[in-house]
Amino acid sequence: VEAHICDQLILPLSLANGVSEFSVQRVSAHLETHAWLVEKFGLAKVALDRSDSGTGLVRIIPAGCSP
């Protein structure tokens, strides 16, 4: 997913009925902030795995959903 849109996917995917996972061009500060905020509201657990090149993998596990 393109770096400027990936942070916008965090909220809707945190409300989904299942686990979501996607790769990103770049793990940005905006993405990290959105992930932190969704977790603070208790909507989902968000894992951000960053590679050495800056690309990353995002895994979103909505509250009440098992991985």
Side-chain angles (χ1 to χ4, degrees):
V1 177
E2 196 269 332
H4 293 100
I5 194 67
C6 61
D7 60 327
Q8 299 299 313
L9 296 175
I10 300 290
L11 180 59
L13 292 177
S14 70
L15 301 172
N17 289 327
V19 176
S20 300
E21 189 173 275
F22 58 92
S23 59
V24 296
Q25 259 184 351
R26 180 174 52 90
V27 177
S28 67
H30 281 270
L31 177 59
E32 291 173 334
T33 301
H34 282 237
W36 175 82
L37 188 61
V38 161
E39 287 191 345
K40 287 297 177 186
F41 276 102
L43 298 175
K45 297 281 186 191
V46 182
L48 301 175
D49 295 321
R50 184 186 317 220
S51 71
D52 292 337
S53 66
T55 61
L57 184 66
V58 179
R59 183 174 173 89
I60 303 166
I61 305 169
C65 184
S66 57

